[in-house]
Amino acid sequence: MTLTIVALLPGLQNTNGDAESAAVLARRAEWAGLDARVVAVDDRGGLPDRVDAIVLGSGSDSSLETSRAALLTMHDELRAWGTEGVPILAVGTGWELLSWGIERPDGSGIEGLGILPGRAVPSRGRVTGDLVIASPRFGTLVGFENHARDYVGAEGSPLGRVRAGRGNGRDSGQEGVVMGSVIGTHLHGPVLAKNPSFADQLLGLAATRAGLDYAPGARAAIVDGYAAAAREAQIGAARAAASVTDA
């Protein structure tokens, strides 16, 4: 059995390297002794027969319409996979496109695929900087946020609580959204490279669905040490920045 990890629209939705989270999943699966491959998919015709996990990264606003048109060709499959428990990680505009929709400052909008609750709305200005959250399901997660929209309507199903940064905004104190195995987040990085335990939980879901056992391999422990050091440095910097702001 080979785990098939789909990177959706990597040519359009990889502004912050988020599509590389698919490669993180595949490599960690290989370190655990499992066969895995990454399949880049640009439209419905490129979908493999079996899909075990999906990564949809973030793109520029100029590509929103093009990306939406491509995703619409796969709408039924995406909805079915989410219902069936296939882990789907969507970041930035990829997440927004899976939502109810995106509102623009001029009053126009883009209808989303409606797979995740909530919608993206204009914020007062672009938000950039370190983002640290506490997730009841995935633990402490770190990343970098870079977005000009807040996210509303996901109050009952956030990925976690903001410990540093802005997250969904509008004073919600929340970040991201989760519906079953479908996850939307502002965390760039790519997020799975910065948060190996997050990657391992998604791989565990994918492996279980495929009838396989997953446990991190010995090589993962070495790499995770580097990730842990980087995470601690980022968390420390975020705390320091917050203390200066509060002073």
Side-chain angles (χ1 to χ4, degrees):
M1 170 71 72
T2 298
L3 290 177
T4 298
I5 299 147
V6 167
L8 278 182
L9 314 183
L12 293 170
Q13 300 290 124
N14 196 23
T15 300
N16 298 281
D18 302 305
E20 303 311 316
S21 279
V24 173
L25 290 174
R27 186 58 57 87
R28 294 185 74 82
E30 292 168 356
W31 290 341
L34 302 176
D35 291 329
R37 63 170 181 156
V38 174
V39 178
V41 173
D42 295 312
D43 55 41
R44 188 175 184 276
L47 289 173
D49 293 335
R50 179 183 178 85
V51 173
D52 295 294
I54 298 168
V55 171
L56 174 59
S58 186
S60 66
D61 277 11
S62 63
S63 67
L64 281 173
E65 295 283 4
T66 303
S67 293
R68 176 182 179 273
L71 290 172
L72 277 175
T73 69
M74 299 173 266
H75 176 271
D76 292 347
E77 286 82 1
L78 284 165
R79 186 171 292 280
W81 289 323
T83 301
E84 294 166 1
V86 174
I88 301 175
L89 174 65
V91 183
T93 65
W95 161 30
E96 293 175 347
L97 287 167
L98 296 188
S99 76
W100 295 335
I102 301 168
E103 296 179 11
R104 289 172 163 149
D106 63 4
S108 64
I110 298 175
E111 185 177 356
L113 273 67
I115 292 171
L116 284 170
R119 68 178 66 252
V121 298
S123 62
R124 291 186 296 272
R126 178 163 289 277
V127 178
T128 61
D130 289 323
L131 178 59
V132 181
I133 71 169
S135 171
R137 183 173 174 185
F138 301 107
T140 299
L141 302 177
V142 306
F144 185 83
E145 60 182 335
N146 179 12
H147 53 99
R149 285 180 288 270
D150 295 330
Y151 198 86
V152 298
E155 288 77 6
S157 53
L159 175 61
R161 299 289 300 178
V162 174
R163 293 293 177 256
R166 175 78 172 271
N168 292 353
R170 304 291 170 109
D171 297 320
S172 68
Q174 298 179 341
E175 159 55 23
V177 63
V178 178
M179 177 165 281
S181 62
V182 186
I183 300 165
T185 183
H186 291 110
L187 289 165
H188 300 293
V191 61
L192 296 189
K194 289 191 171 187
N195 301 278
S197 63
F198 189 14
D200 286 340
Q201 291 199 54
L202 297 184
L203 274 174
L205 291 173
T208 297
R209 288 191 71 258
L212 302 171
D213 293 324
Y214 172 77
R219 177 69 182 276
I222 299 173
V223 174
D224 292 356
Y226 299 131
R231 282 165 49 83
E232 287 305 312
Q234 185 171 351
I235 291 171
R239 287 173 178 163
S243 66
V244 170
T245 302
D246 293 339

